Amino acid sequence: MMTRVQGVSAALVVVLATAGVPAIAQQGAALDSREAVGAEFLKRSRQLDREHVQALAAVAAKESDEAANATYRLLFNLAIAKNVFDAAEPAAEKVIQGKSLDFDVEMLAQLINAIAEVDRGEYKESLTHLEEFLQMNQENLDAKRGQLDPNTVLGVGEAYFQRLVQAGQYDVARRLCEDVLANAKNPTVLEHFQKRLGRVSMLGTKAPAIAGKDVDGKAVSLADYEGKVVLVDFWATWCPPCSMQMLKLNGLREYMKGKDFEILGVNVDALREGSGGEATQALVRRYLVDHQAGFPSVVLAPGEQGVPESYGVDEIPANFLIGRDGKIIQFELGEGNTIKAIEAALGEKGR
C-alpha cells in the first residue's frame, strides 16, 4: 500500500546500494548463524535508509521553493516506504515551521511528524497536533485533496493505526479512524478505515463463534477452550508472512506451556478463488507438517466465509486475543506486546 519512490539518480542509487557492503562481507565470517547475518544486513540497510533521508534533507534545506518541494516529497515518501520516520522528523519539523511549500508536502510533513511522535509514546498529543493542522487547513484540504496520493494516505494511516494498536491505545486509534473517515474522500481509503473502526469496536464484545474441522476431519471449536485465554490466528499457506508467524506461534505455545492458554488457527486456503478440494487439503496438511504446527487449526471449506467475515478479516495474517470470559481483549498483536498481553489476560505479572 506504500507508494513507490521514484526519481532517485542512478549515481545515488549505486552509492547507497554499495556503501558498507565490503565491511558486512568481511564481518560475515564472524557471524555465527543465518539469523545473525540477516539481522546485521537489516541493521546496516536501515542505517543506509536513514542516511539517505538525512542527505536529502540537507539538499532540500539549500534549495529554492520549487526544487525543495520535489526533494521533500521524495524524502518523505522514502521515509514512509522504508519506515524510518524518526530520520525524517527534523525535515518534517523544518517544513512545518518554515517557508510555505505545496500543500501535499506540508501534509506529508505533518503525517511524518505525527508518527515520529507516536514512536516516542506521545499518542494523544500526536493525533491532537494532526487534528489541529487539518482544522486550520480545512479550506486547503477541500481544494487540494486531489494532490494527496490515496496510496500514501492509506500507507501512512495504516502505519499510524498499527502503532496505536500495538501500544494498546485503542481510544486514540478510534479517533484516528474517525478523523480519516471525516476528511478522506477516496473510496478505498474510506473502506479501509471503516473496517479498521469496526475492528476497534469489537473490543470488549463476545468473540464470534469458530467451529469446523481440522485437516484430519476432527471437530474443532473455540468453545472447546472456554475459561482459557485464546489467541485466534487467521492464516493461509500462500501468505508469506504467515510462514514466519507460524514459527513464532509454535515458540509462543511452548513458552506458555502449562498455562491456561491456547492458540487456535483458522486456515482460509479454501476461500481463495479457484481453491478447495483434495489438492488444497493436501497442501494445508503438508504445510502444517513442514512448519511443525503444534496447535489446532480449523480448516475452512469452500464457501465458509462466515468466520472471517464475523471478525472483519479480509487480509492476513490477522489475530485476536480472547479472554477467559470469551470477549475480545486485543487484536493484531506483534512481537512487542504479545507475551505481555497474554500474561495480563492470564492475571500474571510477567516473567
Side-chain angles (χ1 to χ4, degrees), residues 211-224:
K213 295 181 178 180
D214 66 12
V215 73
D216 296 316
K218 179 182 176 182
V220 181
S221 172
L222 177 60
D224 295 339

Side-chain angles (χ1 to χ4, degrees), residues 86 106 172 285:
D86 57 334
E106 293 182 10
V172 185
R285 180 178 286 104

Side-chain angles (χ1 to χ4, degrees), residues 171-193:
D171 288 342
V172 185
R174 180 187 296 275
R175 268 176 57 195
L176 170 66
C177 292
E178 292 170 345
D179 286 342
V180 174
L181 293 174
N183 290 285
K185 296 298 181 184
N186 181 269
T188 301
V189 174
L190 290 172
E191 180 183 8
H192 181 84
F193 282 95

Side-chain angles (χ1 to χ4, degrees), residues 103-146:
F103 178 70
D104 71 307
V105 174
E106 293 182 10
M107 186 71 213
L108 284 171
Q110 290 288 342
L111 293 170
I112 292 285
N113 191 63
I115 292 186
E117 288 177 332
V118 164
D119 285 342
R120 291 198 300 274
E122 300 170 10
Y123 306 110
K124 294 181 180 178
E125 300 88 341
S126 168
L127 189 55
T128 296
H129 294 158
L130 184 57
E131 289 171 338
E132 289 172 350
F133 172 79
L134 293 173
Q135 185 175 1
M136 289 188 299
N137 291 272
Q138 192 63 53
E139 186 176 340
N140 269 339
L141 185 63
D142 291 337
K144 301 180 180 180
R145 201 183 303 270

Side-chain angles (χ1 to χ4, degrees), residues 7-315:
V8 185
S9 71
L12 184 56
V13 170
V14 171
V15 170
L16 291 169
T18 57
V21 170
I24 299 176
Q26 291 171 6
Q27 188 178 2
L31 299 174
D32 58 4
S33 70
R34 292 190 303 273
E35 291 76 12
V37 171
E40 181 64 24
F41 268 84
L42 179 60
K43 177 182 175 182
R44 298 293 184 94
S45 176
R46 288 185 65 78
Q47 182 57 35
L48 286 175
D49 291 334
R50 288 188 169 88
E51 291 175 5
H52 189 176
V53 166
Q54 291 162 356
L56 288 171
V59 171
K62 303 174 185 178
E63 293 179 321
S64 63
D65 287 0
E66 183 177 355
N69 274 311
T71 304
Y72 278 122
R73 193 174 288 116
L74 173 62
L75 183 164
F76 294 145
N77 279 306
L78 177 64
I80 293 167
K82 298 297 186 178
N83 195 27
V84 287
F85 294 92
D86 57 334
E89 186 181 15
E93 290 179 342
K94 189 175 185 66
V95 169
I96 292 169
Q97 299 169 4
K99 54 189 177 181
S100 178
L101 295 174
D102 289 349
F103 178 70
D104 71 307
V105 174
E106 293 182 10
M107 186 71 213
L108 284 171
Q110 290 288 342
L111 293 170
I112 292 285
N113 191 63
I115 292 186
E117 288 177 332
V118 164
D119 285 342
R120 291 198 300 274
E122 300 170 10
Y123 306 110
K124 294 181 180 178
E125 300 88 341
S126 168
L127 189 55
T128 296
H129 294 158
L130 184 57
E131 289 171 338
E132 289 172 350
F133 172 79
L134 293 173
Q135 185 175 1
M136 289 188 299
N137 291 272
Q138 192 63 53
E139 186 176 340
N140 269 339
L141 185 63
D142 291 337
K144 301 180 180 180
R145 201 183 303 270
Q147 291 183 7
L148 303 177
D149 179 6
N151 288 322
T152 300
V153 174
L154 193 58
V156 178
E158 180 63 12
Y160 200 166
F161 179 83
Q162 288 295 334
R163 281 165 164 78
L164 294 172
V165 167
Q166 292 286 315
Q169 297 290 318
Y170 297 114
D171 288 342
V172 185
R174 180 187 296 275
R175 268 176 57 195
L176 170 66
C177 292
E178 292 170 345
D179 286 342
V180 174
L181 293 174
N183 290 285
K185 296 298 181 184
N186 181 269
T188 301
V189 174
L190 290 172
E191 180 183 8
H192 181 84
F193 282 95
Q194 187 64 59
K195 290 178 179 178
R196 287 297 188 227
L197 181 59
R199 191 163 294 184
V200 174
S201 299
M202 292 181 70
L203 293 170
T205 66
K206 191 74 173 178
I210 300 175
K213 295 181 178 180
D214 66 12
V215 73
D216 296 316
K218 179 182 176 182
V220 181
S221 172
L222 177 60
D224 295 339
Y225 308 108
E226 185 177 356
K228 291 188 176 184
V229 175
V230 183
L231 182 65
V232 174
D233 183 77
F234 289 83
W235 64 277
T237 62
W238 44 260
C239 162
C242 293
S243 184
M244 181 61 69
Q245 180 75 350
M246 187 69 68
L247 298 175
K248 293 176 181 177
L249 291 176
N250 285 334
L252 175 63
R253 191 168 187 263
E254 182 63 26
Y255 182 81
M256 290 293 174
K257 191 174 182 179
K259 304 292 183 180
D260 286 335
F261 170 75
E262 187 54 87
I263 298 171
L264 177 60
V266 180
N267 174 265
V268 299
D269 269 51
L271 303 187
R272 198 179 194 189
E273 187 175 352
S275 299
E278 293 183 3
T280 298
Q281 284 286 100
L283 181 63
V284 173
R285 180 178 286 104
R286 179 66 184 179
Y287 184 94
L288 290 171
V289 171
D290 288 346
H291 289 79
Q292 300 180 354
F295 54 88
S297 278
V298 172
V299 180
L300 299 179
E304 291 185 342
Q305 302 280 358
V307 172
E309 286 181 353
S310 66
Y311 281 83
V313 172
D314 58 1
E315 54 188 38

